[in-house]
Amino acid sequence: MPLQAPAATLFTAMTHDYDDIIHLPHHVSQTHPQMSRLNRAAQFAPFAALTGHEAALREMARATEKQVYLTGDSEDLLSRKMMILKALLREEPTVEVTFFKPDERKEGGAYLKSKGVVRKIREYEQMLDLLTMDGKCSIPFRFIVDLESETFKLDEPEDEIEE
């Protein structure tokens, strides 16, 4: 049966190798500044193996809407409203435009509303120019979904009320 040394003897034997330096003061470099706790902690932060992966997931999860194209009666009504605006351009009508803005990064986009004074209708370029509170705004005809204005309400015949 092998002999076993007492636990106290094992502990002293293990630390015996470092007894000569264990009580020395902590070394502070004269040439290199001491690293801050934040930078020291950053060394032990988890490593991001897939750089940009989280951003790509956020971008993929971002919702966009599909563009709806006008047909038939809706297209005719929008065309009539544009002709009214063109005829009254000198009066600088105020209009609220609902339009589709394509997303720059992925398929789809968002529907926005912009309210302002109609400055110009550029038929050749197919653009509607507005002067809004934020400045000038040019909207391509193909993205316009609706136009709302007091001008159109004055043009519509009122329903007769029967007594």
Side-chain angles (χ1 to χ4, degrees):
M1 175 175 217
L3 293 172
Q4 290 185 350
T9 336
L10 285 175
F11 181 71
T12 42
M14 289 172 32
T15 59
H16 185 67
D17 293 341
Y18 302 104
D19 282 344
D20 58 334
I21 62 169
I22 197 77
H23 298 292
L24 291 177
H26 177 69
H27 173 71
V28 177
S29 173
Q30 298 296 320
T31 56
H32 300 289
Q34 198 167 10
M35 189 182 288
S36 70
R37 286 184 184 264
L38 183 65
N39 288 342
R40 285 180 60 93
Q43 288 181 333
F44 301 101
F47 175 68
L50 299 172
T51 309
H53 181 66
E54 192 173 317
L57 288 176
R58 272 196 311 270
E59 177 63 26
M60 187 187 286
R62 189 172 53 87
T64 57
E65 298 178 70
K66 288 185 178 181
Q67 183 177 4
V68 177
Y69 297 95
L70 299 179
T71 57
D73 294 340
S74 301
E75 198 172 23
D76 291 342
L77 180 62
L78 186 63
S79 181
R80 283 196 303 261
K81 288 179 177 181
M82 287 292 272
M83 287 192 298
I84 293 169
L85 287 177
K86 185 178 177 188
L88 300 174
L89 203 54
R90 290 180 188 238
E91 297 175 24
E92 298 183 335
T94 300
V95 68
E96 183 176 66
V97 183
T98 304
F99 63 99
F100 180 78
K101 183 177 182 191
D103 195 287
E104 295 175 357
R105 296 187 202 141
K106 65 185 200 179
E107 190 176 328
Y111 283 93
L112 305 174
K113 288 188 177 195
S114 188
K115 188 172 186 174
V117 175
V118 179
R119 302 301 291 168
K120 200 183 275 186
I121 297 175
R122 296 183 281 154
E123 290 184 59
Y124 182 74
E125 294 96 349
Q126 297 285 296
M127 299 289 277
L128 176 67
D129 294 340
L130 294 179
L131 182 61
T132 66
M133 298 292 278
D134 300 327
K136 292 180 182 179
C137 175
S138 294
I139 305 168
F141 288 175
R142 69 181 184 275
F143 295 134
I144 297 174
V145 176
D146 192 23
L147 298 168
E148 289 298 320
S149 175
E150 289 296 319
T151 306
F152 307 136
K153 292 177 182 161
L154 296 175
D155 229 34
E156 295 173 359
E158 291 184 29
D159 295 331
E160 294 181 22
I161 302 172
E162 295 181 25
E163 294 182 32

